[in-house]
Amino acid sequence: MANNAIGNTRTKVTWSKATKDDTSKLLGGSKWKIYQKNSKSDTYQPMRYTAATQTTPSSWTVADDNANATEITDCTTANPCTSADQDAAEGKFLVENLPAGTYKLVE
């Protein structure tokens, strides 16, 4: 990039779900939604996932409303995973190709 500028690039987020008493014991099967902060209104908007095809990578866009937001379910059986969660380990999550921004997770 010109002048050493850093452009907005897509990013990834990882997190895990563990028991309250033992953070090393991961729990599979949890479900989440991800919300992107709208810098103009200082509110969070639900996000919708579109899976990759042979010709296009996976992508995330702002959903019309919470009912149309993607529920991120813990991928525990497929490898590679084909859902929004790209980590096949129980209790671990990997979400890729998010637009640059600020996010929050809601279980």
Side-chain angles (χ1 to χ4, degrees):
M1 300 194 109
N3 301 324
N4 297 326
I6 299 172
N8 284 337
T9 58
R10 294 194 171 267
T11 189
K12 64 182 176 182
V13 176
T14 62
W15 71 95
S16 58
K17 169 79 177 193
T19 66
K20 184 173 106 175
D21 299 326
D22 182 356
T23 57
S24 68
K25 185 176 180 183
L26 298 179
L27 297 171
S30 64
K31 297 177 182 182
W32 303 77
K33 287 189 178 181
I34 191 164
Y35 297 82
Q36 182 181 41
K37 187 174 185 180
N38 180 326
S39 59
K40 294 179 183 173
S41 66
D42 208 30
T43 60
Y44 283 86
Q45 302 168 296
M47 299 295 288
R48 180 177 49 235
Y49 176 75
T50 303
T53 67
Q54 288 184 330
T55 57
T56 60
S58 63
S59 64
W60 286 90
T61 55
V62 174
D64 296 333
D65 54 38
N66 199 45
N68 290 314
T70 296
E71 186 171 69
I72 304 166
T73 303
D74 191 8
C75 174
T76 59
T77 58
N79 198 358
C81 296
T82 57
S83 63
D85 175 24
Q86 295 292 299
D87 191 322
E90 269 192 34
K92 288 188 173 185
F93 291 83
L94 167 62
V95 172
E96 298 181 296
N97 290 326
L98 287 165
T102 301
Y103 294 89
K104 73 175 181 177
L105 293 164
V106 176
E107 185 175 16

